[in-house]
Amino acid sequence: MSATELPASHAELMDGVYRWQRHIYDLTRKYYLLGRDRLIDGLDVPAGGTVLELGCGTGRNIILAARRFPDARFFGLDISAEMLETAGTAIAREGLSGRVKLAKGDATEFNSGSLFGRATFDRVFVSYSLSMIPGWEKTVSAALAALSPEGSLHVVDFGQQEGLPRWFRSLLRGWLRKFHVTPRDSLWDVLESEAERTGATFHFRTLYRGYAWLAIVKLGH
């Protein structure tokens, strides 16, 4: 899907939310977007491999992953032009422009060939984006379709806080709604179903008493 075909309503919503938030996003989110670094460490990118992040935001994750896996090439997709501007500036500042390519696109439906010049990737990851994407289930399917035959999809997002007090869950969800974020109750079920559909293996774990969920779907294993 080209940038001109993006659903304007959601793209404009995200630009509106993050037009100013993007300048303080990484500073504030580090306190409650837990498990992102664990996801990056677990990517296990092969030498010379390719990695796509869906919902790359400010570029924080791609920059850390590029440092962690210096032989790999990285690609980032986001629906917000505001976020991509911040990401591009940060990536250039880190001297990573030669290894990281960004594009504006809808994570639920995208053509990686036209956006990035390649059809598949060794790793695809989604960090705290599914909880912001309308029709997020399509993002899971699109991510798996973009994997190479031995590739893997890595997801971290808000869990159901099943091991935490009910009052905490209520406060957290009320706070997240201010930013159009909704923890996906059926995340586990959708990932497991997609793994079965594609013949992949599925690994799922809860972090911090269910505050976050971390999952890996591996093809060809």
Side-chain angles (χ1 to χ4, degrees):
M1 175 175 283
S2 69
T4 57
E5 296 171 326
L6 291 174
S9 58
H10 189 58
E12 291 172 358
L13 173 63
M14 291 297 98
D15 279 341
V17 169
Y18 292 114
R19 181 163 291 114
W20 305 113
Q21 281 279 325
R22 63 192 173 101
H23 299 295
I24 60 171
Y25 185 91
D26 291 333
L27 178 63
T28 58
R29 267 57 175 187
K30 68 180 181 180
Y31 298 108
Y32 64 89
L33 299 187
L34 308 179
R36 294 181 297 172
D37 294 347
R38 188 175 299 195
L39 178 150
I40 291 169
D41 288 341
L43 288 175
D44 192 25
V45 184
T50 54
V51 183
L52 169 66
E53 181 180 12
L54 299 177
C56 64
T58 63
R60 181 262 187 196
N61 295 326
I62 279 186
I63 289 171
L64 291 180
R67 292 175 183 164
R68 177 72 173 78
F69 303 100
D71 295 328
R73 289 175 293 154
F74 290 83
F75 304 83
L77 180 76
D78 204 282
I79 201 169
S80 170
E82 298 286 344
M83 283 297 217
L84 288 172
E85 180 181 345
T86 295
T89 299
I91 288 164
R93 185 171 58 243
E94 295 291 328
L96 295 171
S97 298
R99 292 176 49 214
V100 181
K101 183 176 182 180
L102 303 176
K104 184 178 179 181
D106 182 352
T108 66
E109 185 181 5
F110 58 92
N111 186 322
S112 59
S114 62
L115 292 173
F116 299 115
R118 61 178 306 108
T120 61
F121 306 86
D122 297 302
R123 303 288 184 267
V124 177
F125 72 95
V126 193
S127 172
Y128 285 96
S129 292
L130 294 180
S131 52
M132 299 187 68
I133 298 174
W136 62 274
E137 298 91 342
K138 295 180 181 178
T139 298
V140 174
S141 299
L144 290 172
L147 285 175
S148 62
E150 301 292 323
S152 56
L153 167 63
H154 302 247
V155 175
V156 67
D157 215 311
F158 292 105
Q160 296 303 296
Q161 299 84 49
E162 55 269 24
L164 295 167
R166 183 172 296 180
W167 63 262
F168 180 88
R169 182 174 187 257
S170 178
L171 285 176
L172 176 64
R173 292 196 170 217
W175 169 255
L176 294 176
R177 279 194 295 271
K178 297 178 183 293
F179 302 98
H180 305 278
V181 176
T182 304
R184 305 307 186 186
D185 298 359
S186 59
L187 178 60
W188 182 323
D189 294 332
V190 169
L191 290 172
E192 185 177 48
S193 176
E194 284 294 291
E196 291 177 356
R197 180 183 67 81
T198 56
T201 58
F202 177 55
H203 303 273
F204 195 101
R205 65 182 302 182
T206 62
L207 305 177
Y208 315 110
R209 298 173 65 185
Y211 179 92
W213 286 351
L214 178 66
I216 303 174
V217 180
K218 294 184 179 180
L219 300 182
H221 294 271

